[in-house]
Amino acid sequence: MSLIYIRQAAKNDLEQIMPIIDEAKKFLKEEGNLQWQSDYPNVETITADIEEGVAWVLIVDQKIAGYTAITDGPDPNYKKFDSKWNNDLDPYVAINRVAISDEYRGMHIYDDSVNVLTNFSVFPAQIEKLADFAAVSPAQPKNTIVPNVDLNMF
């Protein structure tokens, strides 16, 4: 049985995180997804996440298998959109820069019915609203988790 857990990322994790980010960029490109097809996210982005205390890594048998940045709202990026994302009344958590190593992609190693890496106290409220925000993308998203289910455009 594998030992699987999530912990806060540290600066010395960067050499293991960045190849995972690069693999995710390649995967997105191969899937026709326009996200992450520039210099973002880069080592400066991930370093800033670590310094701000929002960087988390998924560990499988003492090896970094995934990365994400989790911020307890409000997220200033959502102010750019005139949409349902503009919500200063309800508490929320923003989950950004989610990447899994090619070695673990598709293995469903983390038992989570809504496919997020968090256990913040406001998480139950997020599940209720999750259906409103199935995908945020400038293009029609492709569902790589449940391929036979279409996602709605943001």
Side-chain angles (χ1 to χ4, degrees), residues 6-11 45-57 67-72 93-94 97 120:
I6 298 169
R7 69 163 170 78
Q8 207 160 20
K11 279 190 179 182
T45 307
I46 306 305
T47 299
D49 288 347
I50 292 169
E51 290 172 352
E52 293 169 19
V54 300
W56 294 84
V57 287
Y67 174 83
T68 192
I70 302 172
T71 56
D72 192 359
V93 173
R97 295 179 283 291
F120 284 97

Side-chain angles (χ1 to χ4, degrees), residues 42-107:
N42 55 32
V43 70
E44 291 81 14
T45 307
I46 306 305
T47 299
D49 288 347
I50 292 169
E51 290 172 352
E52 293 169 19
V54 300
W56 294 84
V57 287
L58 173 64
I59 306 295
V60 178
D61 292 330
Q62 304 306 314
K63 182 178 178 183
I64 295 178
Y67 174 83
T68 192
I70 302 172
T71 56
D72 192 359
D75 188 320
N77 291 309
Y78 298 156
K79 297 289 184 197
K80 298 175 187 175
F81 304 108
D82 182 25
S83 68
K84 291 180 182 179
W85 288 101
N86 289 334
N87 182 351
D88 292 329
L89 302 177
D90 297 317
Y92 67 91
V93 173
I95 303 167
N96 296 300
R97 295 179 283 291
V98 177
I100 188 88
S101 167
D102 285 348
E103 183 178 345
Y104 299 96
R105 183 172 287 111
M107 294 177 68

Side-chain angles (χ1 to χ4, degrees), residues 7-32:
R7 69 163 170 78
Q8 207 160 20
K11 279 190 179 182
N12 63 351
D13 294 327
L14 273 171
E15 69 180 45
Q16 293 178 66
I17 294 170
M18 292 316 298
I20 293 170
I21 297 295
D22 292 338
E23 290 172 358
K25 287 180 179 184
K26 181 181 176 198
F27 174 78
L28 289 171
K29 184 176 185 175
E30 290 170 354
E31 293 294 315

Side-chain angles (χ1 to χ4, degrees), residues 26-40:
K26 181 181 176 198
F27 174 78
L28 289 171
K29 184 176 185 175
E30 290 170 354
E31 293 294 315
N33 191 314
L34 301 175
Q35 291 182 310
W36 292 17
Q37 298 310 301
S38 63
D39 188 40
Y40 171 89

